[in-house]
Amino acid sequence: NVEAVGVRPDARRRGLGGQVMAALEGIVDRAYDLGALSASEDGARLYTVRGWRRWDGRVCAVSPEEGIVRLADEEGDVYVWPGLAGDVLDPAHELIFDWRDGDVM
């Protein structure tokens, strides 16, 4: 899960975000099945031009009290990088994240 990637407005369009993402994508490619992030409307362009794909399926998390719960508010804003999973990611299946207090409702 990728979090808190940002570039100050006065430093944008200089390739800094791309450099951070290139390093991160290399780590995902070598060590993880996939990378995932939730992008703002402004941030989505950075990810899509790099090859991140918008996740068109359901987004869920494992709640400590309720088990798997749907995060409908996150759907449409999640992007994935296939990593070691390759092109087998299928939005017909749910994308299920671990629960973290304060990050999901």
Side-chain angles (χ1 to χ4, degrees):
N1 195 17
V2 178
E3 293 193 44
V5 175
V7 177
R8 283 191 342 237
D10 63 325
R12 291 184 183 152
R13 307 289 180 248
R14 297 183 189 169
L16 299 173
Q19 290 176 32
V20 170
M21 293 309 297
L24 182 127
E25 292 155 4
I27 292 167
V28 173
D29 287 343
R30 292 186 304 276
Y32 295 94
D33 289 334
L34 70 111
L37 56 84
S38 181
S40 67
E41 202 172 306
D42 289 338
R45 183 174 177 267
L46 167 66
Y47 307 119
T48 57
V49 299
R50 299 194 56 76
W52 288 73
R53 296 182 224 151
R54 193 180 97 155
W55 182 257
D56 291 323
R58 289 172 54 124
V59 176
C60 301
V62 179
S63 163
E65 292 89 27
E66 301 172 46
I68 295 174
V69 295
R70 186 173 180 190
L71 304 175
D73 290 347
E74 296 293 325
E75 293 172 2
D77 295 332
V78 173
Y79 291 78
V80 295
W81 182 266
L84 295 173
D87 286 330
V88 299
L89 299 175
D90 183 356
H93 301 284
E94 297 171 327
L95 188 60
I96 303 173
F97 294 104
D98 289 333
W99 187 268
R100 294 169 315 195
D101 288 338
D103 291 340
V104 292
M105 302 176 117

